[in-house]
Amino acid sequence: MEAIKSEDGNQSVEKERNTEQKSMAIKTRRHISEDEKEEEQPLSPAARLFHSPEFNCNIISVIGLKSKLDPCVIIRGFKETFIRHPRFSSKLVTDENGQNQRWVRTNVVVEDHVIVPEIKPQNIEKSDSFLEDYVSDLMKIPLDTSRPLWELHLLNLKTSDAENVAVLKIHHSVGDGMSIMSLVLACMRKTSNPDELPSLPYQYRSSSLLTTGSRSDSQLLWLVKVIWTAVILGLNTVCDALEFIVTILFVKDTETPIKGDFRSMKSKRLRLVHRTVSLDDIKLIKNAMNMTVNDVVLGVTQASLSQYLERRYGEKETKRKQKNLPKRIRLRSALLVNLRPTTGIQDLADMMENVSKCRWGNWFGYIVFPFSIALRDDPLEHLKRAQKIITRKKNSFGAMLTYIFCRIIVKTLGIQVAATIINRMVSNTTMTFSNMVGPVEEVSFYGHPITYFASSGYGHPHALTIHCQSYMNKMTITLIVDSTVIRDPHRLCDDWEESLRSIKAAVQKRGSLGLWDYLRLLSNRMAWLLYQMAGLLYKML
């Protein structure tokens, strides 16, 4: 990084921007009272786990901006909003024996957390590669535990898809991705209306299996439904629990070219790359296939991994000309599931303004999601297989069980034993996958319009982490890879984009419903009519 020289965040001359002040109409309280200084809160089991050597996890977010950065405006905005949250104005304190870890409120000097490097354009050949190198170096440097565990880097660097870039790094013990992203959005405002908070798309919550049936159903039919769905829910939960246990004990994924060996002493170099695709294309596929966006993203990811592995195996076995993929590849992902009741952006904005309380911390579980790696003549098969698996996983308490299991192990056996067990489970899988919804309209970061969010986490024992996040009419696919294992992450991004195009083309080619689809819809309709007739007959008798 020859083109970088560290500088204080307050190097530029402060400018008056009435529009930014108006948009951040939250009263500031720059000093913390003595009572608040004495406030202490012990670390949760998950937060303690993220500070173990096996899981020193951080969240990193690259934010592309449409305009030149004004560091003074951003620093002033952080003082008025961001640090009013207790976690971002608290430091980690540990006893001498290392057992009692707790958060302690402290006065925050925002300028110490905001880094504005001096970038010399004459030393930069490719700005995109320079940004990747900068973020890669940043991921190697641990956060300073003597102060709150976050920092913001403001880069006066023009890339292919942004005028300037901000990089936010936060330790995972501070909170999970959903809560941190919600807090960051609560500090932002709509570009079209600087007084309004960002708006997220409405998320339909699937109704509980135990509440199926309408009020018009008879009590007997309702009882049969409840019993049947409870049985399905119980069986799925038992299956997921057993899969979690055997993964910890002995079931390992196939040693593919994308699975890292974290037992080796070879130095690892993480690299973050991203690719932005059309969210409208994903929604087109979703509507045509009667799926969710999450189903489509998982299906496209499965197709892209199959294409990428086909190429990598072909490089090793040059004698083969077709179908280089071995059969029966076991490739599973630790898929992150949010368990918290959705913390609204307005709740977090109110908390920063009125010092109110809302749920915070790490509230997520894992499910083990198996990708079906194979080359298929019909690309829509990837969608159907992914939907079938994730639908069954949703009808299960497996993710909740993993969360409860981790808490119990930490409290009973200690953090070291818990870290070893979870590290073994994660190491026996191949990758991590997560996704998150973003604002539906353009938002501004203290007066700076945003063009994309590329966020993900690192520190866990995986060579590949994929995170998908929507923003306006776009979806950004972010990859964090171990470049000693996956040397060409941009090729994997190309495969993801190509898989999306091929699936979209297959959907458009399919056009109207085929004969089989008509028969399936007709059978479902007939089954519903027979069910209603049975209910009427039962009431008449």
Side-chain angles (χ1 to χ4, degrees), residues 173-206:
S173 62
V174 173
D176 56 40
M178 180 65 72
S179 57
I180 289 176
M181 189 62 195
S182 298
L183 177 67
V184 172
L185 291 176
C187 298
M188 299 179 180
R189 296 295 183 269
K190 292 181 180 179
T191 304
S192 59
N193 188 346
D195 295 326
E196 286 189 17
L197 289 166
S199 55
L200 298 178
Y202 179 76
Q203 293 178 278
Y204 294 93
R205 292 270 182 177
S206 58

Side-chain angles (χ1 to χ4, degrees), residues 425-445:
M425 189 280 292
V426 176
S427 299
N428 285 344
T429 57
T430 299
M431 56 176 286
T432 301
F433 181 91
S434 61
N435 66 350
M436 191 179 301
V437 296
V440 296
E441 299 177 6
E442 184 180 76
V443 296
S444 295
F445 184 55

